[in-house]
Amino acid sequence: MSAIPHQTTAGAPEGERLQLLRVLGPGHVWALGVGIVLVGEYMGWNFAVGKGGMIAGLVACWLAGLLYTCVAMIDSEVTSTVAAAGGQYAQAKHIVGPLMAFNVGLFLVMAYTMLESGNAITIGVLLDTVAGLQGHSGLNQQPFIILAVVFLAWLNYRGVLATLTFNLVITAVAFLAIIVLFVAVQLGVSSVPLDFSAISTDSLPYGWLGILAALHFGLWYYLGVEGTCQAAEEVRSPARSLPYGTMASIMTLLIAATLTWYVCSGLLPWEYLGQAGTPIFDAARVTGSTPLMVLLFVGTIFSTLASANGCINDASRAWFSMGRDRYLPQWFGAVHPKYRTPYRSIVFFVPIALVFALGAPLDQVVTFSILSGLLGYTFMTFNMVMFRRKWPLGSIKRGYVHPFHPFPAILLLAICSATYFAVFLGYGSQLIAMMCFYILASLWFHFRRYRYVRRGDQFTMPWPRPAGY
């Protein structure tokens, strides 16, 4: 099987280049996209209900779904053409330039690493909750958090095919658990009937501003679906597999998000739902059905493992690509001689994920991940416009062409702008602190690292000279 050459591993003979393996198909891409995100249906999204009530939570769900549909459409077109590891980072270095590429790579890495930490926290909370139900309160969550992160890092270290095949299985189980809960409640299995009376009595407890504030956590339903692009160098047919897998992912998540809101809002009071740590498991508990409780416990565990697993895969690919291109020390650009994985980048993020998982509250970790992702989505709007302007339709071969351009890019920018304001309403100090962090990182790259980047070597696509140049 052919693949694009990669950075020579330390110790390898001169001229010998190791490469990532092209072993993935559309199903693996779907498993990567849905697997990273599905945990958002099991936890985190419900903070949107706390911000604005039930109706605000539903509006946030659909507005965020619209945002991510635009993201999926744009990503499917560009990545089916720029089929290189690093996803949006690879897009930025080909279409915009080094400084933007460095920042986009950093956005990706931080979004996925914080999401991984949030998943680990959720595993600890869930196990503590279940232990409490069995009469063993005060469970020490830390060993389980550490075990989950280390195990998944080891799995990623050993090979991408096993990693994403594992994701495919557990993601399917977690998605089916949501479907089963919805069908069971509709068939009257629950001892507590669905109650949506709060829609008429407390539909907008904080007014229309609550809808805007809820948009902040509405993104959690779908955050990370753009991670399908990180597998671009390891799929057998990027032009076919990436668009199919990505678009199937967003459609799956739109269904799962709506069903999750419906079941949880009908079974749990919105005041409780807005601060619950494991909302969909709590909804299963309310039904009084032991089989449903067990199924949603398994679904929650599987969704968090699938998400953390995909996050490790995506963060390591972005970091590996930056090391290979000298945006970071080349030490990170090594490929394992046996497993053909970016093993140094995988290992590097283990302690970072653990620091946040063991020392930061869940909502803060979620917000850090959301803001990093949001910065990356904002970049996509300009990236898409520049891509179509430099290489118009017909100038290069595309695996997918998204419709209605430039409307999706304009809509994406508008929703991103509204979400920044929503985040500022509740987490203004964190928003400012993160912006300062990324500004300082940009300055470090400009003054300390840019000199090592070989700009002429970055452009690896066989494209004609851009229009107008």
Side-chain angles (χ1 to χ4, degrees):
M1 290 179 288
S2 62
I4 298 173
H6 281 68
Q7 176 66 37
T8 304
T9 304
E14 184 65 21
E16 179 184 344
R17 293 180 182 273
L18 296 177
Q19 54 196 13
L20 302 178
L21 297 177
R22 291 194 180 276
V23 293
L24 306 178
H28 295 100
V29 177
W30 175 88
L32 180 60
V34 177
I36 289 178
V37 184
L38 196 62
V39 70
E41 274 67 13
Y42 281 87
M43 66 90 174
W45 68 269
N46 52 299
F47 296 144
V49 175
K51 287 286 186 180
M54 289 170 58
I55 293 297
L58 181 61
V59 173
C61 167
W62 287 343
L63 275 177
L66 189 59
L67 182 153
Y68 279 93
T69 300
C70 295
V71 167
M73 290 166 60
I74 291 171
D75 261 349
S76 292
E77 175 171 335
V78 182
T79 311
S80 68
T81 309
V82 188
Q88 292 79 11
Y89 156 77
Q91 299 172 19
K93 74 176 185 179
H94 283 91
I95 299 169
V96 185
L99 182 59
M100 177 61 79
F102 171 79
N103 277 282
V104 169
L106 198 57
F107 299 156
L108 290 168
V109 166
M110 297 311 298
Y112 293 132
T113 303
M114 293 304 103
L115 178 50
E116 177 192 349
S117 298
N119 294 326
I121 293 171
T122 302
I123 290 174
V125 170
L126 179 63
L127 293 177
D128 188 23
T129 300
V130 172
L133 293 175
Q134 300 299 317
H136 303 287
S137 58
L139 178 73
N140 184 0
Q141 301 177 22
Q142 293 186 356
F144 298 99
I145 291 173
I146 295 171
L147 179 63
V149 171
V150 172
F151 165 73
L152 293 174
W154 171 82
L155 187 63
N156 275 269
Y157 187 99
R158 292 295 298 268
V160 68
L161 183 59
T163 297
L164 294 189
T165 300
F166 174 71
N167 251 39
L168 180 60
V169 174
I170 63 177
T171 297
V173 172
F175 177 67
L176 287 174
I178 295 175
I179 301 295
V180 169
L181 178 62
F182 170 76
V183 172
V185 170
Q186 291 298 106
L187 295 178
V189 172
S190 174
S191 59
V192 176
L194 292 170
D195 180 11
F196 295 97
S197 59
I199 291 180
S200 58
T201 58
D202 294 311
S203 59
L204 292 172
Y206 305 118
W208 291 100
L209 193 62
I211 293 181
L212 182 60
L215 188 57
H216 171 188
F217 290 105
L219 266 62
W220 199 246
Y221 276 116
Y222 315 97
L223 183 71
V225 69
E226 71 280 359
T228 55
C229 300
Q230 301 300 320
E233 230 168 271
E234 294 163 281
V235 294
R236 290 186 292 269
S237 176
R240 172 179 173 270
S241 298
L242 290 170
Y244 281 170
T246 302
M247 298 307 291
S249 295
I250 191 62
M251 288 187 282
T252 302
L253 293 167
L254 285 166
I255 294 170
T258 303
L259 295 183
T260 299
W261 176 91
Y262 177 82
V263 172
C264 291
S265 296
L267 292 177
L268 300 171
W270 75 268
E271 298 91 344
Y272 174 82
L273 182 60
Q275 50 82 41
T278 52
I280 203 165
F281 175 69
D282 292 342
R285 289 170 55 192
V286 168
T287 66
S289 169
T290 300
L292 283 179
M293 287 177 58
V294 172
L295 178 61
L296 270 299
F297 168 77
V298 172
T300 305
I301 289 291
F302 278 10
S303 69
T304 52
L305 289 175
S307 180
N309 196 35
C311 287
I312 294 171
N313 180 89
D314 286 354
S316 62
R317 266 62 183 177
W319 201 253
F320 156 79
S321 298
M322 294 169 73
R324 182 179 60 181
D325 295 335
R326 299 171 178 262
Y327 286 65
L328 297 170
Q330 283 187 286
W331 187 83
F332 291 111
V335 177
H336 195 282
K338 179 179 179 181
Y339 303 120
R340 301 295 178 88
T341 55
Y343 66 108
R344 290 176 181 169
S345 297
I346 291 169
V347 173
F348 176 73
F349 283 105
V350 170
I352 297 174
L354 287 175
V355 166
F356 283 92
L358 297 173
L362 180 59
D363 64 331
Q364 295 286 338
V365 172
V366 168
T367 298
F368 197 164
S369 182
I370 287 173
L371 284 172
S372 297
L374 197 60
L375 288 166
Y377 309 145
T378 305
F379 147 76
M380 287 183 194
T381 63
F382 304 103
N383 183 63
M384 187 66 235
V385 172
M386 293 180 67
F387 182 56
R388 283 284 185 97
R389 185 173 297 169
K390 289 184 175 181
W391 293 279
L393 295 181
S395 62
I396 57 175
K397 184 178 180 181
R398 288 164 161 84
Y400 169 81
V401 177
H402 85 269
F404 311 121
H405 178 77
F407 179 71
I410 296 171
L411 182 59
L412 176 58
L413 182 60
I415 300 177
C416 284
S417 299
T419 308
Y420 283 120
F421 182 67
V423 174
F424 182 77
L425 290 176
Y427 294 82
S429 58
Q430 188 170 358
L431 175 61
I432 294 171
M434 283 191 57
M435 296 304 292
C436 290
F437 165 75
Y438 284 118
I439 290 171
L440 290 174
S442 296
L443 292 173
W444 172 84
F445 175 77
H446 178 75
F447 289 107
R448 303 285 297 180
R449 196 67 209 174
Y450 186 86
R451 72 188 74 168
Y452 299 105
V453 176
R454 295 176 179 175
R455 185 71 181 98
D457 295 341
Q458 303 300 296
F459 203 90
T460 57
M461 295 295 111
W463 295 345
R465 191 174 182 83
Y469 286 80

